[in-house]
Amino acid sequence: MAFTIKINGIPHEVDVDGDTPLLWVLRDMLGMTGTKFGCGAALCGACTVHVDGAPTRSCVTPIDSIGDSAITTIEAIGETPQGKALQQAWLELEVVQCGYCQSGQIMSAAALLASTPKPTDGDIDDAMSGNVCRCGTYQRIRAAIHRAAA
Ligand code: FES
Ligand code: FES
């Protein structure tokens, strides 16, 4: 079945089954590989994108649930004020180790700053608790979010 989905402001037509996960469409059909596959079960956060600004696990989001919603991915988050500030803070504080989880981390952090421009440690822990980092960069992630908020 044909679907037209708006990703980073650009409409894309794809012909897939309606239960195809958005993550599959992004990576395998559109070549947008910045969004990562981790668990495939909404448990790790590596696949986080924004759907109408809300952080969403694309591995469990079927394409037929998206409709006219606007999708934002890591490829375009740097064009938002929050994403730009976060990416700069990430670089300044050298947050990344292997990097695999980090696009999902930044997408969750960007949604947090859009709704809560000056988050507390508790706000950050709540917003980021679904994003797993096997390299243990949590302390630097928290510091970078505070820096971006400043
Ligand atoms: S790959 Fe989607 S939450 Fe882990
Ligand atoms: S930086 Fe390696 S999993 Fe997070």
Side-chain angles (χ1 to χ4, degrees), residues 1-7 12-27 29-30 49 51 56-69 71:
M1 183 175 175
F3 296 90
T4 300
I5 53 174
K6 191 165 68 175
I7 305 170
H12 294 268
E13 278 193 32
V14 292
D15 191 355
V16 292
D17 291 340
D19 60 358
T20 304
L22 173 60
L23 179 61
W24 270 234
V25 173
L26 291 172
R27 290 183 58 85
M29 304 194 69
L30 301 177
V49 300
V51 178
T56 301
R57 306 305 188 223
S58 63
C59 69
V60 291
T61 302
I63 198 78
D64 65 4
S65 71
I66 292 171
D68 295 331
S69 295
I71 309 297

Side-chain angles (χ1 to χ4, degrees), residues 95-102 105 132-137 141:
V95 170
V96 176
Q97 289 199 25
C98 82
Y100 200 82
C101 72
Q102 296 290 333
Q105 303 281 2
V132 175
C133 176
R134 294 192 68 176
C135 300
T137 63
I141 287 172

Side-chain angles (χ1 to χ4, degrees), residues 23 36-47 57 59:
L23 179 61
K36 301 305 184 193
F37 171 71
C39 63
L43 297 171
C44 76
C47 66
R57 306 305 188 223
C59 69

Side-chain angles (χ1 to χ4, degrees), residues 67-150:
D68 295 331
S69 295
I71 309 297
T72 306
T73 70
I74 190 67
E75 283 86 0
I77 198 65
E79 296 167 16
T80 69
Q82 296 84 12
K84 184 177 179 185
L86 285 163
Q87 288 179 338
Q88 185 64 39
W90 247 242
L91 290 172
E92 290 172 3
L93 297 184
E94 299 182 343
V95 170
V96 176
Q97 289 199 25
C98 82
Y100 200 82
C101 72
Q102 296 290 333
S103 54
Q105 303 281 2
I106 286 179
M107 295 307 289
S108 290
L112 169 64
L113 291 187
S115 64
T116 309
K118 297 288 181 191
T120 64
D121 283 349
D123 294 331
I124 293 171
D125 290 348
D126 286 347
M128 304 301 294
S129 63
N131 286 83
V132 175
C133 176
R134 294 192 68 176
C135 300
T137 63
Y138 300 110
Q139 296 301 323
R140 292 206 297 277
I141 287 172
R142 181 193 279 180
I145 292 172
H146 281 305
R147 178 168 298 199

